[in-house]
Amino acid sequence: MKNYRLFNFIAIALATFLLSSCLKDNDDQRVPMALFTMVNGYSDANAVIYYADGGALQNPNYPMEFKSYRPIVGLFTGARKIAVSAEYNSILTDTTITVKDSTIYTSFLFGTKAKPVQVITTDRINKDIKNTETGLRFFNFAEGTDMVSLKIGDQASPSEWTNRAKETQNSASAHQGFIAQKSGTFTVTARDKAGKTIATRSDIKLVEGYYYSLILIGKANDEKKPLYIGLVAQAAN
């Protein structure tokens, strides 16, 4: 996954700015805002563009490539239609959500040309996670997989990361919470229900006090876009 260095620092700084921004008049009035991260795990297009109510959330001249994500942008509150297009401006999917003030969201795009899918999570801090630990969550967005389990190094896998089917909005919402894990550098492995390793990624660095999503994307038994374990740095509040 194309990571962004110092993402969490920038996210916190931007969150502080956006969520406390003011309109200067006779009285200071904070502008209700939310924050939004976009993740492209959609394997049937080279790149995509996100929109909110028809307005691009990224520079259309630089669409977001597969296996990449864009750090947070601001969203105004209220009902917002989040749409995603691929080549030739064809709309893959759109979802209307009620955006709440001072809330952080992430959209994950995945699926196939026949059935593109967008799920949106709400990203909240887990107060039980210590400053010396890392907050993690896992999503299975891959095609041709079923009952996937994820393991980090030699750590015991949380039950939430065992036998995970491909996500729906309901399952993504159910597993959007971050779980405490050891910080450090690890090899991460995804296995199918028979225990066979289907994807692995070494040298994944999990920084103390940071939050991440681990995502399985791509297609099983596909040479062009094989299964891949992505690491997404996440803002949370």
Side-chain angles (χ1 to χ4, degrees):
M1 207 75 187
K2 295 181 180 178
N3 210 336
Y4 291 80
R5 298 182 65 184
L6 301 180
F7 173 80
N8 283 58
F9 174 81
I10 295 169
I12 293 170
L14 185 57
T16 301
F17 173 75
L18 287 174
L19 298 181
S20 63
S21 59
C22 295
L23 291 174
K24 296 297 184 180
D25 201 276
N26 293 331
D27 297 309
D28 286 345
Q29 182 180 357
R30 191 178 68 82
V31 179
M33 292 285 286
L35 301 177
F36 192 67
T37 297
M38 301 160 285
V39 182
N40 182 13
Y42 179 72
S43 56
D44 276 356
N46 293 322
V48 300
I49 300 172
Y50 269 81
Y51 301 86
D53 298 329
L57 290 174
Q58 59 191 95
N59 187 334
N61 294 320
Y62 298 95
M64 183 166 48
E65 297 177 352
F66 174 63
K67 296 200 302 186
S68 69
Y69 67 98
R70 292 289 167 89
I72 51 179
V73 298
L75 283 181
F76 291 113
T77 57
R80 294 287 173 262
K81 184 178 181 179
I82 308 299
V84 191
S85 71
E87 290 96 341
Y88 310 111
N89 296 320
S90 58
I91 297 298
L92 297 172
T93 182
D94 60 68
T95 303
T96 299
I97 63 171
T98 300
V99 176
K100 298 181 179 179
D101 184 29
S102 302
T103 304
I104 300 176
Y105 301 93
T106 298
S107 167
F108 297 92
L109 182 72
F110 60 105
T112 64
K113 186 175 182 180
K115 190 177 180 180
V117 181
Q118 176 183 200
V119 300
I120 298 176
T121 61
T122 302
D123 308 331
R124 300 186 178 93
I125 286 174
N126 181 346
K127 295 181 179 179
D128 293 330
I129 297 175
K130 301 175 183 177
N131 292 335
T132 56
E133 297 175 320
T134 298
L136 290 176
R137 60 186 182 184
F138 166 59
F139 298 112
N140 176 16
F141 298 130
E143 295 300 315
T145 64
D146 193 19
M147 301 297 117
V148 173
S149 299
L150 194 77
K151 187 174 180 60
I152 299 176
D154 60 359
Q155 301 181 62
S157 298
S159 59
E160 292 88 346
W161 299 358
T162 302
N163 294 328
R164 289 282 292 277
K166 189 170 73 171
E167 307 296 339
T168 64
Q169 180 62 64
N170 287 340
S171 69
S173 296
H175 294 96
Q176 66 186 4
F178 294 95
I179 297 173
Q181 293 286 286
K182 292 180 181 179
S183 302
T185 301
F186 303 95
T187 295
V188 178
T189 304
R191 294 186 173 92
D192 63 16
K193 59 184 177 182
K196 179 183 176 181
T197 297
I198 57 175
T200 185
R201 182 173 170 183
S202 58
D203 298 323
I204 286 186
K205 187 175 182 179
L206 305 176
V207 181
E208 291 183 359
Y210 279 46
Y211 283 61
Y212 302 93
S213 291
L214 285 163
I215 62 174
L216 183 65
I217 58 176
K219 298 180 179 180
N221 305 312
D222 188 281
E223 293 184 357
K224 292 183 178 179
K225 293 184 177 176
L227 297 177
Y228 176 80
I229 299 172
L231 180 69
V232 180
Q234 300 273 188
N237 68 351

